[in-house]
Amino acid sequence: VVPPPPPPPPLPVEEEGEEEVTKYTHAPPSLIEARKEITIYSLQNAKQRLERERRRRAGAAQRVSHRTSNNKRARTTYEEQASKELDDLDDQCLLLYKSIRSMALEGSQYGDARPLSAVCTSGNIVATGGWSGTIQLWDGKKDTLDVLGRKGMAHEDRIMGMDMMKCRGDEDHMVATASIDLSAKLWHVRRNEDVLMEEDDDDDDNDDDTTTITNTTKNTNTPYTISEAHHLKGHKARLCSVAFHPMKQHVVTTSFDHTWRLWDVETGSQLLLQDGHVKETYGVGMHPDGSLCSTTDFGGVVQVWDLRSGKSACHFLGHAKRVISSEFSPNGFQLATAGDDGTIKIWDLRRRKQFASIPAHTKLITQLRFAQGSGDASEFTGNGQQNGEFLVSSSFDGTVKTWSTRDWKMLSTLRGHEGKVMGVDVLGSSGESSGGGGGVRIVTSGYDKTLKLWK
């Protein structure tokens, strides 16, 4: 006779009064202080941006009513200024789009022995990073793209993302790089004193041959020096993207460890480790006000975070594959994302839903960049960039495309790279350009190891 099987063990009985409690991590004092500073900074920027938007909308409404209404009352000084501002924006935008439609390749340089995977700009300086781990600086004012600085073996492995900002000094910049060696780095970019001395001698028409020879001998390096400021360690997997906060005191990195982190630029210390993605985190974008941060992942999810509270403001679903890039519009109301499905999606941050979907490229989109500028209409420079009048995209299909942000139609297609285009950025208006609308310069980096300038 076979004995019966033993009874199953009894299920554990939950203790009475035990409840599931949501747990939060206490923010360190440094993070609390950073959030206070970000809140003050973002509120001031938001106030200026919204006042500018109200002024333009009031001018647009008055312009329409003045054209359609039979009551031709006299407009106030405020309405006249707002209407004139809109007319100037429209006229300059037409000139800008005409210039973009005629863009052509102006300069090309071999940047590295391996593919150039990242490119960014600050003023007229272009910075590139490649698979060899090398950082290089280029002169964006010249079609020859002269080398301004170089840092070999900045990372032990490939550089995947980089960003650059201008510091308080006229000549100083800071570069942030993210690599697959599990770390990010911050770099000081300073003008060499020997170069400044030589320029001063030339300006003063100094005829002292001894001084000129001495300065020339000392100036054996490039005009700019790149030195390491901080080594940001903490991620458990390869890094993908990096972006400076508009306040210039913080930097954000994303990684394959499903997290993004906030770092202090001055000390190099980690302020925040934020999870929330279930797939590898890749793209990152900063709101122009400094209040929001967007991150994307390989699951097709776009998260928008409130840096003032640390909470998730909203998330967007719509991409069919990995989302590689995200970029906030300078108007502050829209977010552009792109990735492996070849489409660019525009999200309305106020209604929290998709505004437009653009079938942009036939392959993966590597980078998105809005035209940036001062954002102040009183400082309108004639190139329309402070209003984010166009968007640039680069892709593995070997093309770079520009898009009108007024109707999201394509303005031009730039072909010149032999293979994948890894990155793109906008330099802006060149002083030597002809025409009232100024000239726009775009820089691209490619798998063909070249840096190209379009104008």
Side-chain angles (χ1 to χ4, degrees):
V1 179
V2 180
L11 297 175
V13 180
E14 296 184 359
E15 298 180 3
E16 295 183 1
E18 183 177 353
E19 298 179 356
E20 184 178 351
V21 180
T22 303
K23 298 180 180 179
Y24 296 92
T25 303
H26 291 283
S30 58
L31 177 58
I32 296 176
E33 186 64 27
R35 285 176 174 167
K36 290 180 180 178
E37 294 175 356
I38 291 174
T39 300
I40 296 173
Y41 176 86
S42 62
L43 287 176
Q44 294 173 350
N45 283 356
K47 180 181 179 180
Q48 297 175 2
R49 179 175 59 85
L50 293 177
E51 285 178 351
R52 183 174 64 249
E53 183 68 19
R54 292 190 190 100
R55 183 175 66 250
R56 291 176 178 176
R57 293 195 177 193
Q62 178 60 30
R63 187 167 59 179
V64 172
S65 63
H66 189 74
R67 291 173 180 173
T68 57
S69 176
N70 294 326
N71 183 16
K72 303 295 183 180
R73 67 174 180 84
R75 291 187 291 185
T76 63
T77 303
Y78 177 85
E79 293 172 343
E80 287 287 351
Q81 292 178 349
S83 180
K84 183 178 184 303
E85 178 182 335
L86 287 178
D87 292 339
D88 291 341
L89 283 173
D90 291 341
D91 293 341
Q92 298 294 346
C93 186
L94 292 176
L95 292 174
L96 175 72
Y97 288 171
K98 182 179 179 181
S99 174
I100 291 177
R101 290 188 179 98
S102 61
M103 289 188 75
L105 180 63
E106 291 290 331
S108 180
Q109 284 281 8
Y110 270 100
D112 204 342
R114 302 192 68 190
L116 295 178
S117 51
V119 61
C120 60
T121 63
S122 177
N124 289 313
I125 300 179
V126 181
T128 57
W131 283 11
S132 65
T134 300
I135 302 173
Q136 292 197 90
L137 304 178
W138 312 81
D139 189 352
K141 293 186 297 183
K142 299 180 180 180
D143 296 345
T144 53
L145 293 170
D146 297 340
V147 177
L148 298 179
R150 187 178 188 275
K151 183 67 176 179
M153 293 300 296
H155 282 274
E156 298 177 0
D157 213 323
R158 304 176 185 179
I159 295 175
M160 298 304 297
M162 65 190 312
D163 195 12
M164 182 162 60
M165 69 174 183
K166 190 173 184 179
C167 300
R168 295 180 180 179
D170 294 335
E171 300 292 340
D172 293 348
H173 296 75
M174 178 166 279
V175 174
T177 55
S179 171
I180 66 175
D181 63 3
L182 311 187
S183 70
K185 291 185 179 181
L186 301 179
W187 306 88
H188 286 303
V189 177
R190 296 188 175 96
R191 190 74 182 269
N192 286 335
E193 294 182 0
D194 294 335
V195 177
L196 294 177
M197 290 173 57
E198 187 177 355
E199 290 179 352
D200 292 340
D201 292 339
D202 294 338
D203 293 338
D204 297 337
D205 294 327
N206 190 351
D207 296 332
D208 188 354
D209 295 337
T210 305
T211 305
T212 304
I213 293 173
T214 302
N215 289 334
T216 305
T217 304
K218 287 183 178 180
N219 182 28
T220 57
N221 297 323
T222 49
Y224 285 87
T225 299
I226 305 173
S227 59
E228 182 177 328
H230 297 292
H231 196 171
L232 311 181
K233 297 181 179 179
H235 283 288
K236 305 302 181 183
R238 59 185 290 181
L239 276 71
C240 304
S241 303
V242 61
F244 282 110
H245 188 272
M247 196 166 59
K248 300 183 179 182
Q249 296 180 12
H250 308 95
V251 65
V252 173
T253 57
T254 60
S255 170
F256 271 26
D257 61 7
H258 303 185
T259 69
W260 64 270
R261 306 189 186 210
L262 181 69
W263 309 80
D264 187 282
V265 170
E266 183 176 356
T267 63
S269 59
Q270 178 180 298
L271 299 176
L272 173 66
L273 185 159
Q274 181 66 60
D275 54 13
H277 288 276
V278 297
K279 294 287 186 178
E280 294 86 344
T281 310
Y282 203 98
V284 61
M286 287 292 178
H287 193 277
D289 294 345
S291 56
L292 303 177
C293 170
S294 65
T295 55
T296 68
D297 66 24
F298 279 10
V301 179
V302 180
Q303 289 274 9
V304 179
W305 308 88
D306 190 338
L307 295 175
R308 300 164 296 184
S309 63
K311 297 180 179 180
S312 174
C314 59
H315 69 276
F316 298 115
L317 300 174
H319 284 280
K321 298 181 180 180
R322 301 176 296 177
V323 187
I324 303 299
S325 179
S326 67
E327 184 85 354
F328 283 98
S329 171
N331 63 24
F333 300 129
Q334 295 169 326
L335 173 68
T337 59
D340 212 356
D341 57 5
T343 63
I344 300 174
K345 294 190 181 294
I346 310 299
W347 309 93
D348 191 323
L349 296 175
R350 294 165 294 183
R351 298 182 178 181
R352 300 187 180 186
K353 65 179 184 179
Q354 181 176 302
F355 177 78
S357 182
I358 308 169
H361 294 269
T362 58
K363 294 184 180 179
L364 180 145
I365 299 174
T366 54
Q367 190 72 60
L368 296 176
R369 279 288 185 267
F370 278 99
Q372 301 289 340
S374 65
D376 189 350
S378 63
E379 299 177 358
F380 187 69
T381 58
N383 59 9
Q385 293 187 33
Q386 89 294 342
N387 202 34
E389 296 287 7
F390 67 92
L391 173 70
V392 187
S393 61
S394 60
S395 171
F396 275 7
D397 63 8
T399 65
V400 176
K401 297 184 179 182
T402 56
W403 309 86
S404 165
T405 57
R406 296 201 169 193
D407 53 13
W408 302 109
K409 293 182 179 180
M410 188 174 66
L411 297 173
S412 65
T413 301
L414 309 178
R415 293 183 174 89
H417 283 281
E418 297 179 1
K420 306 172 183 176
V421 184
M422 309 291 282
V424 63
D425 207 345
V426 181
L427 268 167
S429 177
S430 56
E432 63 273 8
S433 299
S434 60
V440 176
R441 293 169 294 163
I442 295 174
V443 289
T444 57
S445 62
Y447 195 80
D448 56 5
K449 312 170 190 175
T450 64
L451 172 71
K452 297 186 184 299
L453 173 66
W454 311 82
K455 188 166 64 174

